[in-house]
Amino acid sequence: MVIDLGRILADIDVLRERIAPADYMLVVKNDAYGHGVDRVVAAAAAHGVRWFGAFDVPMGVRARAAAGPDARVFSWVTVTPPEIAVALDAGIELGVGDSSYLEDIAAVSAGRATPVHIKIDTGLHRNGVRPEDWPAFVARAAELEASGDIRVVGIWSHIAETSDEDDDRSRAAFLEAIRVAEESGLRPQVRHLAASAAAFARPEFRFDLVRFGAFSYGIRSTGGPELDGIAPAATLIATVSAVAGSAVEVSYGYLDGLPSTLAGRMSVGTPAGPRLVREIGPASMLIDPWPGAAIGDEVYLFGPGTRGESSVTTLAEAIGTVGEEIIVRVSPLVPRIYI
Ligand SMILES: *Cc1c(COP(=O)(O)O)cnc(C)c1O
């Protein structure tokens, strides 16, 4: 898989410009959406990105190592005290959507004024403090802040981004949660609600910071429009392993990557342009031939369209999923080549 780091930086530039003066966070969960967290974070940090978002602590630790001490790294999955200790040592700012987790962090922190981002559940019901529990939660957070165990630097939530109406309801709940938190004496400087789709389209969702994952890598939303100035950064390349006249076999070895349900519904990019994929097996696929096809010819399975291949989102749309799912299932054994 060839990763065009310059393309990621160009995509980031488009996003940063669009959301200014709100700040930009590069979300790097799932090994930077399969692009490789170490190289992607190092390039983004050198390009001036200040915020990185990791789902779990190990990914946060890698992001910290690649980004350097000045970056801010946010990690939001709830973890146990030993991992909290690791996060604090690495200077990772934890997202907190649960009152017993808040107590755990305060206990591990023990007077270190550990920065946290408190999370209200605005309707997704995944994680986050329910509105009815929020007043008691923020009152307790204010106590722990006064005692020097934590510092509430952020307030955040995550939204569905599937309908404007639902998102509007979530935004109203978010504003109310900010009001209640401020009434308790908290002064979180960083308010963040949206991910790629809502923040790109709707200015009122940007607040102080936007957590951009998919769009940073040029992965547009399923069913969503092409994005002006943004293009995919990853190209998955395999090679022709047999030519039979009526069909060409393309091997990808241990890739075991593309869903077999895509057979008959996708084209790949060949030296002669797009060709239909007829069959997808565990280690190879059969595609329509072209004149002069030869063993060793490169075939692009997905990418920005250089040879007529589809984007991961276009492939995802053919089988009712999202582009992220296509790219993150490419095996980590497939070498990433950075250009
Ligand atoms: C995945 C994720 C994001 C990024 O979402 P995209 O749609 O890929 O931009 C942001 N915030 C949270 C909490 C996430 O889990």
Side-chain angles (χ1 to χ4, degrees), residues 93-331:
E93 302 181 23
L94 297 170
V96 188
D98 174 282
S99 56
S100 66
Y101 188 42
L102 184 69
E103 298 298 334
D104 285 350
I105 293 172
V108 173
S109 169
R112 278 190 278 170
T114 291
V116 297
H117 297 238
I118 55 174
K119 183 180 185 192
I120 176 80
D121 175 6
T122 50
L124 212 51
H125 303 311
R126 261 199 228 155
N127 167 267
V129 177
R130 299 293 149 97
E132 61 271 24
D133 301 325
W134 185 252
F137 177 80
V138 292
R140 179 62 182 148
E143 270 176 30
L144 292 169
E145 187 169 82
S147 65
D149 292 325
I150 63 163
R151 197 156 38 91
V152 177
V153 296
I155 179 167
W156 72 292
S157 190
H158 193 48
I159 59 176
E161 302 191 336
T162 45
S163 90
D164 282 0
E165 293 69 35
D166 285 349
D167 288 352
D168 288 340
R169 262 192 299 279
S170 295
R171 184 172 173 276
F174 188 56
L175 290 170
E176 174 61 10
I178 293 170
R179 194 188 63 74
V180 173
E182 287 179 345
E183 243 174 41
S184 299
L186 297 175
R187 293 288 175 270
Q189 322 119 342
V190 190
R191 301 163 301 160
H192 47 117
L193 179 62
S196 290
F200 191 82
R202 308 184 67 195
E204 68 274 29
F205 280 76
R206 295 170 191 159
F207 291 91
D208 303 305
L209 178 67
V210 175
R211 302 184 306 272
F212 273 111
F215 286 13
S216 306
Y217 307 94
I219 303 170
R220 69 176 168 84
S221 307
T222 287
E226 294 293 338
L227 304 164
D228 237 6
I230 289 180
T235 306
L236 183 61
I237 302 176
T239 49
V240 170
S241 50
V243 179
S246 62
V248 168
E249 182 192 67
V250 178
S251 280
Y252 36 73
Y254 42 68
L255 163 61
D256 197 18
L258 295 179
S260 56
T261 47
L262 277 169
R265 302 178 191 197
M266 71 175 281
S267 298
V268 289
T270 75
R275 287 294 183 278
L276 183 74
V277 174
R278 297 185 193 166
E279 267 179 57
I280 299 179
S284 64
M285 56 171 62
L286 287 183
I287 68 174
D288 279 352
W290 64 94
I295 290 173
D297 280 354
E298 287 190 338
V299 173
Y300 292 10
L301 305 192
F302 61 68
T306 317
R307 291 186 166 189
E309 76 282 3
S310 298
S311 71
V312 288
T313 304
T314 301
L315 299 184
E317 286 166 345
I319 53 170
T321 181
V322 296
E324 293 89 314
E325 195 174 329
I326 303 288
I327 192 163
V328 302
R329 57 184 283 165
V330 173
S331 167

Side-chain angles (χ1 to χ4, degrees), residues 13-27:
D13 282 344
V14 170
L15 298 172
R16 286 163 106 184
E17 194 173 316
R18 190 170 176 101
I19 63 162
D23 220 337
Y24 166 91
M25 175 190 286
L26 175 62
V27 173

